[in-house]
Amino acid sequence: MEANLEGGCTCGQIRYRLIGTPLIVHACHCHWCQRETGTAHALNALYEADRVVHTAGEPELVATPSASGKGQKIARCPTCRVAVWSNYPQAGPAVRFVRVGTMDDPNHCPPDIHIFTSSKQSWVTLPPGARTVPEFYDLDAVWSAESQERRRQMRAKAQQAKSG
Ligand SMILES: [Zn+2]
Ligand SMILES: [Zn+2]
């Protein structure tokens, strides 16, 4: 995978650059993602917030209900309203779920894992050998060693920010 992928919204007001590779890429087949994308599944590349650099424009954070009941924040272009990334309460603002379809070349981020396949649309056939879970998974068992280390650093930073 190449470093520093770029992307943006449809009208071009929002542009972003991604530093390095994603922590993990989720294809989420839950009904909520199906409704929010209007299609079969969401495709989200997870990045630390400081690795998602806005190079043009600032998205508007729209509070949106989520399956957990805690709500999520979807970052949308203020003009064309296309969603470029979102925050979920579990991971908080530290992690941005970047919508892979908004990247200039989405081919760089195929899913590492298919989640919530229990609600997958029946016509969707997953590639042989694809990693799948009926709902969610244990991060310690699935994330690469490098991503776990980045997660550890992220937590340490968050702790520092709290105590500082
Ligand atoms: Zn736009
Ligand atoms: Zn989902």
Side-chain angles (χ1 to χ4, degrees), residues 9 11 77 80:
C9 67
C11 79
C77 169
C80 71

Side-chain angles (χ1 to χ4, degrees), residues 7-16 56 76-84 102 104:
C9 67
T10 302
C11 79
Q13 187 175 332
I14 302 291
R15 293 289 301 163
Y16 62 77
R76 295 182 177 277
C77 169
T79 301
C80 71
R81 302 284 165 183
V82 164
V84 285
T102 66
D104 294 342

Side-chain angles (χ1 to χ4, degrees), residues 9 24 27 39 41 47 59 96 98 102 106 113-114 119 127 141 144 159 164:
C9 67
I24 191 165
T39 180
H41 61 80
Y47 277 89
R96 291 177 177 172
V98 179
T102 66
I113 188 165
H114 292 262
S119 49
S144 70
Q159 276 309 115

